[in-house]
Amino acid sequence: MQLLTIAVLGVVLLVIAVLHFVKAFRDMNDPNGIPGPTQIPYLGRIHDLPIQFMWLKFKEWADKHGSLGFYRTEMLGAKFIIITDEKVAEDLLIKRAKHNSDRPVIRSLFDSKSAHGSMEYLPLMGRNQYWARQRKLTHSYITDATNAQYHGVMNFEAKRWLARLIENPDNFQASLEDMASKVMCQLTWDDPTLSEYCSKSAWGLLTQMSPAGPITNVLTPLWHLPMPLNPWKRAERKRHDEQQAWWMDRLLSVREKMGRGEMRPCWTRQFLEKTSLKTSISGDYEASSVIGMLALVGIFTVAGPLSYWLVTMVHHPEWQAAVQREIDEVCEGRLPTLADTPNLPILRACIKETMRWKPSVPTGVAHETEADDPGWPTYQEPLTQFPSIKGMSSFGWGQRQCLGMSLTQDELIIACGSLAWCFTLKLKKNPMTGQDIPVSLTKSNSLLIIKPDPFEMAFEPRSEKRKQEALRLWQEADAADKQARADFTNAARTGSIPPFEAKRPSPGVPITVLDLKKQEMMIQVNRVNSYSDL
């Protein structure tokens, strides 16, 4: 009798479970609702979404379900609207930005939205007070730098890169990324020697926040495992703490040099000397984070498009020749500068087409809805302004649009223009067979911001005269930079430049080296109090 009771109870529970599953299935796949792929209760389509190149699956679903300009799907209970039409994106993310400008949680980062006061990652923050004041500061600094044409830093680093390509062309991918990093390290801390670690830090953060990074970004319940059983959380704890300590060390180092009168202008000096006296930035920790994040973003937003520029020029030599002709005619033999930008529409058009053809952020960065809210123009006048990459989908939409569009465009113009001035980019020959080594059009990483997988190509100087001129320009620029740095240091030591003296502390509690440990402890305690998964 007891076995019969258990059997009956089991059947009843099974029937209830089946009925619940059927109801959930019907609710998720309401034919009168937003179209999309068939959803499985509790799973959504997580089983069908590849971690690698997931944008291809999004495109497959878009072709099938996106006739309205969008479709819906779910992943482990999280609901998504995938926008497939630019007009719909403009309507939802620009015109209705006040409803759709938050950010979703990045599970494999601690407090990615700064909902609990970490104040660390501006592009990922929720639409809160930290985001508002950091965005204002970042916009101000980039605008000032753009108007000042980045104080010659981009031209200087482009000359260094050309010399490195002549001396070691096979290392072009590393030197390309290092050039982008050196530009940001000079603008941020006036120290290009920081570029190697800054690049490592940038790609570490990008990997951690990407669906193709830690498995906890896809199978999110794994993040909730206790720390001793959670290798993903332990790894992020180490990466995060090292990055934050490095950012803080940079700020303290600049402050120390300013105290000796030995710090040349840069964004960090600008903050400590001027901005800190009038900003609502809370103190050193937040300041080091927003400035450090600015340096990191400027690396991977340039390295990806510039890498694809090389691929583009190798596969389309006729357009490479057109760019070279334009630069030769406009610049009359000299290296192009930002001042030439209005007169180089072919160069700008090819950069724009490269970013359309191979967008560096193929899935976009997700927005999160805060309230319920249900032909490609290449030619445009005036040619002194258009074509322009500003406003392209790679930079996001509305209030979440990337603030570094001008910086990215200007650095690409300088870098791509310099390449066209100095080199003809070609397929590399296999030394054994004499055959061309192909450059793939499809192989790339699968991070949120992508770049092509390593490939081989040839950088052929356009002439011996142009090669020697490139080397001379770098030697001249390097010598002038070293002399300027030495003159500045000597002037500081002789008292010609007064040392920095803070008129009053930065807003909030000033943080010394010892205080930093206390604040880190406080932040960790706050996280423990705020997160059940810690």
Side-chain angles (χ1 to χ4, degrees):
M1 186 66 181
Q2 186 177 8
L3 290 176
L4 179 60
T5 302
I6 294 174
V8 171
L9 180 61
V11 171
V12 170
L13 291 176
L14 178 61
V15 170
I16 292 174
V18 170
L19 291 175
H20 180 77
F21 183 89
V22 170
K23 183 179 185 302
F25 182 87
R26 289 176 175 173
D27 290 343
M28 293 179 71
N29 298 282
D30 181 359
N32 296 319
I34 299 175
T38 301
Q39 305 296 306
I40 307 299
Y42 316 112
L43 296 178
R45 297 299 302 188
I46 193 69
H47 61 289
D48 196 27
L49 186 66
I51 293 178
Q52 303 295 322
F53 311 115
M54 65 171 56
W55 55 87
L56 298 180
K57 192 65 177 183
F58 286 151
K59 177 62 166 60
E60 178 186 322
W61 285 339
D63 291 340
K64 192 172 183 180
H65 307 288
S67 60
L68 298 178
F70 57 92
Y71 64 90
R72 62 96 182 96
T73 187
E74 293 189 21
M75 304 290 166
L76 294 178
K79 301 178 186 297
F80 294 90
I81 294 292
I82 311 297
I83 300 174
T84 62
D85 185 273
E86 286 196 7
K87 293 182 179 179
V88 175
E90 291 174 359
D91 184 51
L92 292 179
L93 305 182
I94 298 178
K95 297 177 182 178
R96 300 170 182 262
K98 66 179 181 179
H99 298 305
N100 301 304
S101 295
D102 204 358
R103 286 283 195 230
V105 169
I106 305 295
R107 179 48 62 197
S108 298
L109 293 174
F110 294 116
D111 194 22
S112 65
K113 294 181 65 170
S114 294
H116 302 280
S118 59
M119 308 177 293
E120 293 166 349
Y121 306 120
L122 173 60
L124 307 177
M125 282 182 184
R127 203 157 65 103
N128 54 36
Q129 58 178 329
Y130 316 120
W131 172 79
R133 67 197 186 201
Q134 289 189 22
R135 184 176 174 85
K136 180 180 179 181
L137 182 147
T138 300
H139 180 265
S140 172
Y141 281 16
I142 291 180
T143 300
D144 290 347
T146 302
N147 293 338
Q149 296 198 348
Y150 313 97
H151 312 284
V153 168
M154 289 181 181
N155 292 325
F156 178 79
E157 290 302 335
K159 293 173 184 176
R160 187 203 303 265
W161 189 39
L162 294 182
R164 293 177 73 178
L165 288 173
I166 291 171
E167 295 163 357
N168 189 2
D170 290 342
N171 197 37
F172 67 92
Q173 287 182 306
S175 63
L176 177 158
E177 189 171 292
D178 192 56
M179 178 199 67
S181 185
K182 278 180 163 54
V183 167
M184 298 313 299
C185 287
Q186 288 222 56
L187 291 172
T188 307
W189 304 291
D190 189 43
D191 190 349
T193 66
L194 300 172
S195 61
E196 183 177 355
Y197 186 86
C198 195
S199 293
K200 176 184 174 183
S201 182
W203 292 110
L205 176 59
L206 180 61
T207 300
Q208 196 67 22
M209 62 186 273
S210 299
I215 192 66
T216 46
N217 279 337
V218 179
L219 300 180
T220 52
L222 293 175
W223 183 255
H224 299 280
L225 290 172
M227 188 71 84
L229 303 177
N230 196 326
W232 308 284
K233 190 176 290 185
R234 293 199 304 272
E236 171 55 8
R237 178 84 275 162
K238 182 176 183 295
R239 185 211 65 80
H240 167 275
D241 291 354
E242 287 181 356
Q243 182 178 71
Q244 299 306 122
W246 190 74
W247 283 349
M248 175 60 77
D249 191 52
R250 302 281 65 75
L251 184 140
L252 296 177
S253 178
V254 169
R255 177 180 284 150
E256 182 182 346
K257 290 180 181 179
M258 289 173 64
R260 300 194 303 266
E262 297 177 357
M263 190 68 237
R264 301 198 311 171
C266 63
W267 282 332
T268 306
R269 174 181 161 177
Q270 181 179 346
F271 177 84
L272 294 172
E273 195 171 51
K274 298 178 181 179
T275 313
S276 64
L277 304 179
K278 56 186 178 181
T279 186
S280 57
I281 298 293
S282 60
D284 288 357
Y285 190 88
E286 184 179 4
S288 67
S289 294
V290 63
I291 295 171
M293 193 69 213
L294 180 55
L296 262 61
V297 171
I299 299 173
F300 40 65
T301 57
V302 170
L306 185 51
S307 296
Y308 276 117
W309 170 265
L310 303 180
V311 176
T312 302
M313 291 296 100
V314 166
H315 281 278
H316 297 278
E318 71 282 7
W319 283 104
Q320 179 179 191
V323 171
Q324 290 174 329
R325 286 194 300 271
E326 180 180 68
I327 287 175
D328 289 346
E329 293 171 2
V330 171
C331 301
E332 299 179 335
R334 60 175 171 77
L335 191 68
T337 68
L338 283 178
D340 299 309
T341 298
N343 301 317
L344 299 173
I346 296 177
L347 171 63
R348 286 182 278 116
C350 288
I351 292 173
K352 182 174 183 178
E353 178 60 12
T354 297
M355 293 188 67
R356 184 206 64 81
W357 179 51
K358 292 291 184 181
S360 55
V361 193
T363 60
V365 182
H367 289 225
E368 185 169 81
T369 298
E370 302 169 75
D372 288 340
D373 191 40
W376 182 252
T378 299
Y379 180 82
Q380 190 174 354
E381 294 285 0
L383 287 179
T384 55
Q385 179 180 350
F386 300 102
S388 169
I389 66 172
K390 297 177 183 179
M392 294 184 70
S393 61
S394 291
F395 297 108
W397 303 84
Q399 296 177 359
R400 285 296 182 167
Q401 195 169 58
C402 176
L403 294 172
M405 288 187 295
S406 294
L407 186 150
T408 299
Q409 174 168 273
D410 292 343
E411 191 167 346
L412 288 175
I413 287 171
I414 288 295
C416 298
S418 297
L419 283 173
W421 175 83
C422 188
F423 298 103
T424 295
L425 310 180
K426 294 184 174 181
L427 294 172
K428 193 173 183 178
K429 298 286 186 182
N430 185 313
M432 301 297 294
T433 66
Q435 299 296 312
D436 289 338
I437 300 175
V439 174
S440 174
L441 295 176
T442 59
K443 294 181 179 178
S444 73
N445 63 25
S446 294
L447 299 180
L448 188 67
I449 301 176
I450 67 170
K451 64 177 180 179
D453 284 349
F455 60 93
E456 295 183 80
M457 60 177 288
F459 293 78
E460 181 181 284
R462 294 178 61 190
S463 68
E464 182 63 24
K465 180 180 179 181
R466 193 64 59 92
K467 171 183 173 181
Q468 295 303 322
E469 176 66 2
L471 293 173
R472 184 193 69 79
L473 286 172
W474 167 239
Q475 292 168 358
E476 183 181 87
D478 187 35
D481 180 69
K482 290 176 179 176
Q483 186 62 52
R485 291 177 182 273
D487 290 346
F488 189 91
T489 300
N490 290 334
R493 289 172 179 171
T494 59
S496 302
I497 300 177
F500 167 71
E501 295 181 2
K503 298 179 181 179
R504 65 178 180 84
S506 299
V509 179
I511 304 169
T512 65
V513 178
L514 295 177
D515 291 334
L516 178 59
K517 296 180 180 179
K518 297 178 183 179
Q519 184 174 28
E520 179 61 25
M521 184 181 298
M522 177 189 69
I523 290 173
Q524 291 189 28
V525 169
N526 285 343
R527 289 185 182 127
V528 170
N529 291 338
S530 303
Y531 286 106
S532 59
D533 58 336
L534 287 180

